[in-house]
Amino acid sequence: TQGSVDFPTVEFEYGDADSRGAELAELYSYTEEPELSTNRRCFEEEFCPQARGRQWSELDTAQQRAQVLRLLEGLEVVSRERRLRAARAILYLAQGVFGDCESEGDVLHWSRHNSFLLYQLGTFSAFLELLSMEIDNSQACSSALRKPAISLADSTELRVLLSVMYLLVENIRVELETDPPEWKSCRETFRTELSFPMRSDEPFALLLFTMVTKFCSGHAPHFPMKKVLLLLWKVLLFTLGGFEALQMMKVRRREELGLPPLPEDSIQVMRSMRAASPPTCSIELAEQQQKRGHRSRRVRPLMKQDSLDIYNERDPFKNDETGVDEEEGDEVDGGIEGELDLMERDALLPTIPAQRPPIERVSFPKGLPWAPKVRQKDIEHFLEASRNKFIVDLGLVEPSRAGLKLSSLKEKEGIPPLPPHLPPLQIALLKILLAAAPTSKAKTDSINILADVLPEEMPITVLQSMKLGIDVNRHKEIIVKSISALLLLLLKHFKLNHIYQLEYVSQHLVFANCIPLILKFFNQNIMSYITAKNSISVLDYPHCTVHELPELTAESLEAGDNNQFCWRNLFSCINLLRILNKLTKWKHSRTMMLVVFKSAPILKRALKVKQAMMQLYVLKLLKIQTKYLGRQWRKSNMKTMSAIYQKVRHRMNDDWAYGNDIDARPWDFQAEECTLRASIEAFNSRRYDKPQDSEFAPVDNCLQSVLGQRLELPEDFHYSYELWLEREVFSQPIRWEELLRYQ
C-alpha cells in the first residue's frame, strides 16, 4: 500500500518447541554464567581420586555409573552445603561435562548421554525428594519475606535442583532417530512415572503447580519462576504429547468410534499457506485505469463517517510504524462502486489500447485452502427452517449422526477429573503473564518475577546495565513463551478429553480477564516485539562453555544477533492468538468482549507480520466480529475482508461478511454464560460429585475393597445369624468345577 513499509516475509517453522540447543540455552540467565565454572569445580573436587586426571569420555560405562552413585550418596548427608556441592557436580554432568569438550555438539551429546545415565540410576527421584524438602523450607521462605530486595542468591538450591530436572526431562523428551533401543524404553518409563505419583502423593506436574500458586500468593517470593514454568511446560509436553501427538489422538479416537477420518491436518495446511499482505483488491485495478485515462466510469472517494468507523480513524498506533495505516492510504479503498466483481473487471480489460502496456492481472488461487465444516447446531437450524418452509422431514445427515455418536460414547466412558486447584493456578499464570507483558507498567502491588535474574550487586557501569537490561527482557520473553505454550497445551488436551473440561477451564480464564490481557499484550509495536534482539549469542549455553568470551562492548550489545526475527516471541504471539481463538469460538458474549475492548485495530496491526499462521489466527478473530463492527467498517476494510475470504475456513450458513448485528443483543450474553456455567456444574456434579447411590457411580470390583466395607445390618440379624449360616452356607454344596472354571 502507498505510504506503508514493506515488511519482509517471515520464514518461521511452527512446532512444539525450538531447537534443543535453544531450549537448553533459555534455561539459564546471563547472570548465572559464573555458576557454570562453579559446577565444574564442584565436580572436579567430588570426582573419585582413582579417576582424576582422566576425562569423562575415557571412563567405561561401569566407571561412569560408579561415579554417579558416589555423587548420589552425597545428596543424603545432613550438611546442606555438602548436599549442594553434590547437586552442583551432578548438574555439571547433566550440562555435558563441557570442560572435556571442544565443540558445542560434543556438549549437547554428552548432556544427552549423561541425562539417560542419571535417570537410570534414580537421580530424578532423588532430586524430587530434595525439591519437596526445599519447597517446604519455611526458613528460606521467611528469610526471603524479610528481605527488601530478593536476588539470585536467594534461590541457589532451587535453581540447581530445577536445572538438573529440566535437563533430564528435555534431553529424554526429544526423540532422535539415532537413539538406541534401551533409550526408547527408558523414555516411555520416564513418561509413565511423570504422569503418576513418584514417591509422593501427587504427580510431579501438580507439585510444580503448587510452586506457582505459592509464589503468586506471596508466601515464597524467592521461587525461580522462569525455571519452574519451563519445567512445567516441558513435563506436560512430555507426558500429554505435543501437536503431532494430539493429531494422532484425534485420528485414533475417530477410528475407535467409527467416525470418518479427518479431511486434513490443520497445521500442515497452514504450513502450506503462503504469507502475504492483505490481497490486492480489484479497486486497485480501477485506480490504475483511472491514472491512464481509460476508466469507463469514475469512482467516488468514500467519505468516512467518524461515528461509525472509529476503529480506523482513532487508531492510536496508526503512525508509529508506517506513517499510514495499512488500508487507509487508499482514498477510495472500500467504496461500493469501486468493488468490481470478476465479471466487470474482465469486461474492462479488452478496452485498453494495444499500444499501452497491459494491466497486471491479479492471480487468485484455484479453490480455498480449507475444506468446509458444519456443526450439528447449524444442521439442526437448517433442517428446522427447511421443515417449517416445506413441511417435510429431511432427517439427520451424516455429520450430525457422527456428532451424536461421539457425544453418547463420551458420556459412557470414564473421564478423569480436573485438579481441584486448577482455577487458582490459572489466575496465578495470568498474573505472571501480566507482569511479563511488555506493555505492563511496574506497580507496587505487582509480583516480582525478576528474583532469579537480578544479581546481588547491582551494575555500576553502563555496559553492565545494558547487559542486565537485555537479560531482564529475555527473561520476560521466556516466561511469556512458557505460559502461552502451557495454557494452549492444556486447552487442547482438555478439549480432546471432554468438551466440558475445556469449557470449565475456558470460563475461568475468561472470568480472570484473560481476553483483555491478551489484547493488552498485542497493543504494542508488534513488529518490534517480533524482531527484538534481547539475546547475547556469545553468552548462550553451550557456546559460552567451549569458546572464549570476547570483549563485550555497547555497540555489540546494541547490534544483537543477525536473525530475521526472534523465534520465541513469534511462537508466543501465535500461541496467544490460538488461546484467544479457543476462548471466543462460538461464544457471542466473548466475541462482544473483543468488540467492546476495540480489538479490531489491535489485531489489524498484527497483520503486518507476514507469517501465514499468525495472519490466519488474526483473520479468524476479525472474522467472528465483523458482523458487529458495522457496515461502514466492512466497506473501509475490504482488503482485510478479502484476506478473510481467501484464508479462513468457511462454514454452513456463514453470514460473517454480510450479516447485520441482529444477534448482538447484550441482554442475552449474560444468560449465555450462565447457561454454560450451569451445564458445566451439572457435568462436574454428575461425574465427580455424584452420590454413591447414583446410577452413574462406578462399580467397585476390588475384592479386598468390597469385603472391607462396613455394612449396616438390621437389629435382629444376630438372632437369626446361625440359621442363616446353616441355610445359605453349610447346607449348600460347593461346585468346585464351576468355581475353577471362572478363575
Side-chain angles (χ1 to χ4, degrees):
T1 305
Q2 183 181 1
S4 64
V5 177
D6 188 16
F7 295 108
T9 302
V10 177
E11 300 294 336
F12 173 75
E13 187 72 19
Y14 184 79
D16 292 323
D18 203 350
S19 63
R20 187 163 65 96
E23 294 294 336
L24 296 182
E26 291 180 351
L27 176 64
Y28 313 101
S29 63
Y30 298 143
T31 317
E32 293 179 279
E33 181 195 354
E35 297 187 6
L36 294 173
S37 57
T38 305
N39 299 337
R40 178 182 178 181
R41 185 175 64 253
C42 290
F43 175 78
E44 292 174 349
E45 293 175 355
E46 296 292 331
F47 210 43
C48 182
Q50 291 81 3
R52 286 181 182 172
R54 301 171 60 187
Q55 293 187 352
W56 181 256
S57 59
E58 297 176 354
L59 303 179
D60 57 26
T61 304
Q63 292 173 328
Q64 290 179 352
R65 294 172 66 91
Q67 292 294 330
V68 172
L69 292 175
R70 185 172 179 273
L71 293 175
L72 290 176
E73 291 178 358
L75 299 177
E76 300 178 359
V77 298
V78 178
S79 173
R80 182 182 179 87
E81 181 181 357
R82 178 73 177 82
R83 291 201 307 268
L84 178 60
R85 292 174 60 85
R88 283 192 178 277
I90 294 175
L91 176 57
Y92 176 72
L93 283 176
Q95 289 172 338
V97 287
F98 49 81
D100 300 340
C101 300
E102 297 180 355
S103 65
E104 299 178 29
D106 291 341
V107 177
L108 294 178
H109 166 75
W110 284 109
S111 176
R112 183 172 170 80
H113 175 274
N114 293 341
S115 295
F116 279 94
L117 177 64
L118 290 171
Y119 169 70
Q120 290 171 348
L121 296 177
T123 304
F124 194 90
S125 300
F127 272 71
L128 177 58
E129 294 181 357
L130 292 177
L131 181 63
S132 302
M133 292 171 52
E134 199 62 37
I135 292 174
D136 298 331
N137 189 348
S138 58
Q139 182 178 358
C141 293
S142 60
S143 175
L145 289 172
R146 289 194 302 266
K147 285 189 174 182
I150 304 175
S151 65
L152 199 69
D154 296 297
S155 59
T156 301
E157 290 81 1
L158 282 171
R159 286 187 294 104
V160 171
L161 299 176
L162 292 169
S163 296
V164 172
M165 303 175 87
Y166 179 86
L167 289 171
L168 265 61
V169 170
E170 180 64 11
N171 280 319
I172 298 176
R173 178 189 70 86
V174 179
E175 186 173 357
L176 302 179
E177 296 181 357
T178 57
D179 289 348
E182 59 270 18
W183 283 12
K184 295 181 180 179
S185 61
C186 178
R187 181 181 298 108
E188 295 302 322
T189 304
F190 193 19
R191 179 187 287 115
T192 304
E193 289 183 352
L194 286 176
S195 303
F196 296 96
M198 300 173 57
R199 297 190 185 180
S200 62
D201 297 332
E202 56 187 17
F204 179 55
L206 294 184
L207 181 65
L208 298 177
F209 286 163
T210 305
M211 294 187 68
V212 175
T213 53
K214 192 174 182 179
F215 170 80
C216 284
S217 64
H219 299 302
H222 65 295
F223 281 1
M225 269 301 104
K226 186 189 80 171
K227 285 182 169 54
V228 173
L229 292 171
L230 281 174
L231 180 56
L232 178 57
W233 166 38
K234 292 305 175 63
V235 167
L236 294 180
L237 185 61
F238 187 21
T239 56
L240 300 180
F243 301 131
E244 293 184 2
L246 279 165
Q247 187 69 17
M248 294 174 61
M249 292 177 193
K250 291 180 184 178
V251 173
R252 184 171 61 253
R253 179 161 296 184
R254 293 181 72 89
E255 291 178 353
E256 295 173 353
L257 300 178
L259 300 177
L262 291 171
E264 59 204 2
D265 185 350
S266 300
I267 293 183
Q268 294 299 329
V269 173
M270 284 183 280
R271 287 174 179 172
S272 64
M273 295 171 64
R274 299 181 60 184
S277 298
T280 303
C281 295
S282 55
I283 181 61
E284 297 184 359
L285 293 176
E287 289 179 346
Q288 295 176 7
Q289 293 171 352
Q290 184 184 25
K291 292 179 182 178
R292 293 169 181 154
H294 295 283
R295 288 286 303 273
S296 61
R297 54 184 174 134
R298 184 172 178 268
V299 178
R300 294 197 307 267
L302 175 66
M303 300 300 294
K304 297 182 178 179
Q305 302 178 18
D306 183 69
S307 60
L308 296 177
D309 199 17
I310 60 174
Y311 296 96
N312 280 322
E313 290 294 322
R314 296 182 181 178
D315 190 348
F317 286 83
K318 185 169 65 175
N319 298 321
D320 69 340
E321 292 182 6
T322 63
V324 180
D325 194 63
E326 182 181 3
E327 296 182 1
E328 294 179 2
D330 299 331
E331 295 180 352
V332 295
D333 188 15
I336 297 178
E337 297 184 46
E339 269 307 298
L340 306 176
D341 58 19
L342 294 177
M343 294 179 60
E344 290 177 324
R345 186 176 63 210
D346 293 337
L348 288 174
L349 289 176
T351 63
I352 302 176
Q355 64 271 19
R356 295 285 184 179
I359 293 180
E360 182 179 356
R361 284 179 175 266
V362 180
S363 60
F364 291 90
K366 295 182 180 180
L368 299 176
W370 300 101
K373 273 189 176 181
V374 60
R375 288 190 305 166
Q376 178 184 340
K377 184 178 180 181
D378 297 330
I379 293 177
E380 291 174 352
H381 287 173
F382 172 75
L383 295 177
E384 184 66 24
S386 300
R387 292 189 186 102
N388 294 335
K389 185 175 182 180
F390 301 107
I391 318 178
V392 60
D393 188 5
L394 299 179
L396 290 176
V397 296
E398 189 60 31
S400 179
R401 291 175 183 165
L404 289 174
K405 184 176 182 180
L406 182 61
S407 301
S408 62
L409 286 176
K410 279 197 172 185
E411 280 296 313
K412 293 179 181 178
E413 64 184 11
I415 306 299
L418 296 177
H421 50 283
L422 192 58
L425 169 69
Q426 293 174 294
I427 296 175
L429 290 176
L430 293 181
K431 285 183 178 180
I432 299 175
L433 182 62
L434 176 62
T439 55
S440 296
K441 297 180 181 179
K443 297 181 180 179
T444 55
D445 58 344
S446 61
I447 56 178
N448 179 19
I449 60 172
L450 304 178
D452 54 336
V453 71
L454 296 178
E456 287 187 274
E457 299 179 359
M458 297 305 292
I460 57 177
T461 65
V462 176
L463 187 63
Q464 291 176 345
S465 299
M466 292 180 62
K467 177 183 174 183
L468 182 59
I470 293 175
D471 203 5
V472 167
N473 291 334
R474 175 177 177 266
H475 182 83
K476 292 182 178 180
E477 291 173 359
I478 297 172
I479 288 178
V480 173
K481 170 188 173 182
S482 57
I483 293 179
S484 64
L486 171 64
L487 288 176
L488 178 61
L489 203 63
L490 286 175
L491 290 175
K492 290 188 72 66
H493 277 281
F494 284 144
K495 180 181 179 181
L496 186 61
N497 196 43
H498 198 284
I499 188 61
Y500 276 135
Q501 289 187 347
L502 169 70
E503 297 295 353
Y504 175 77
V505 176
S506 299
Q507 196 167 65
H508 276 289
L509 287 175
V510 172
F511 291 164
N513 292 327
C514 182
I515 292 178
L517 173 57
I518 296 179
L519 294 177
K520 179 182 178 64
F521 179 87
F522 280 97
N523 195 18
Q524 59 171 312
N525 190 329
I526 201 65
M527 279 302 302
S528 298
Y529 185 74
I530 294 298
T531 58
K533 304 292 184 180
N534 293 318
S535 61
I536 309 174
S537 57
V538 294
L539 298 182
D540 284 337
Y541 170 90
H543 184 277
C544 63
T545 61
V546 293
H547 298 283
E548 292 186 4
L549 179 64
E551 183 179 358
L552 297 177
T553 61
E555 292 76 13
S556 63
L557 292 181
E558 290 179 353
D561 52 31
N562 297 324
N563 294 330
Q564 180 191 16
F565 59 91
C566 179
W567 195 97
R568 62 174 168 266
N569 289 353
L570 186 51
F571 178 74
S572 301
C573 289
I574 294 177
N575 289 339
L576 291 174
L577 288 171
R578 297 184 71 181
I579 292 171
L580 200 56
N581 269 281
K582 286 196 173 299
L583 295 181
T584 56
K585 187 175 182 180
W586 305 119
K587 301 293 188 300
H588 295 294
S589 58
R590 301 172 192 177
T591 302
M592 285 304 298
M593 291 180 67
L594 296 178
V595 179
V596 170
F597 290 117
K598 301 180 180 179
S599 65
I602 298 175
L603 295 172
K604 269 189 60 180
R605 285 194 301 274
L607 288 174
K608 291 182 172 67
V609 181
K610 292 186 179 180
Q611 204 280 327
M613 184 171 286
M614 183 168 176
Q615 285 184 341
L616 175 66
Y617 287 112
V618 171
L619 293 174
K620 281 186 175 184
L621 291 169
L622 288 173
K623 176 186 175 182
I624 62 176
Q625 56 177 318
T626 49
K627 66 165 66 175
Y628 306 124
L629 296 178
R631 183 181 180 186
Q632 189 65 37
W633 186 93
R634 296 195 293 269
K635 290 195 301 182
S636 303
N637 294 272
M638 288 307 298
K639 291 183 181 179
T640 304
M641 300 288 287
S642 299
I644 293 173
Y645 175 79
Q646 289 188 350
K647 291 192 174 184
V648 182
R649 188 194 305 275
H650 297 280
R651 294 179 176 270
M652 183 178 180
N653 300 333
D654 205 348
D655 60 347
W656 66 273
Y658 53 85
N660 297 321
D661 56 353
I662 56 175
D663 294 331
R665 297 186 292 267
W667 55 87
D668 288 346
F669 296 148
Q670 187 174 5
E672 181 185 28
E673 290 291 344
C674 292
T675 303
L676 177 61
R677 183 64 176 269
S679 300
I680 295 172
E681 291 179 351
F683 168 77
N684 291 337
S685 175
R686 184 173 68 251
R687 286 294 178 183
Y688 312 134
D689 305 328
K690 52 187 173 296
Q692 293 298 321
D693 57 350
S694 172
E695 60 177 328
F696 294 102
V699 178
D700 191 354
N701 295 321
C702 179
L703 183 62
Q704 294 181 351
S705 175
V706 172
L707 295 179
Q709 294 178 2
R710 297 183 61 88
L711 300 178
E712 294 294 335
L713 300 174
E715 297 181 358
D716 58 344
F717 177 78
H718 63 280
Y719 295 114
S720 59
Y721 178 65
E722 294 182 356
L723 294 176
W724 179 85
L725 281 177
E726 183 65 31
R727 183 181 68 252
E728 299 293 337
V729 180
F730 300 140
S731 63
Q732 295 293 332
I734 300 177
R735 300 180 179 88
W736 294 103
E737 296 81 4
E738 295 184 7
L739 182 62
L740 293 175
R741 191 192 322 172
Y742 290 107
Q743 291 297 320

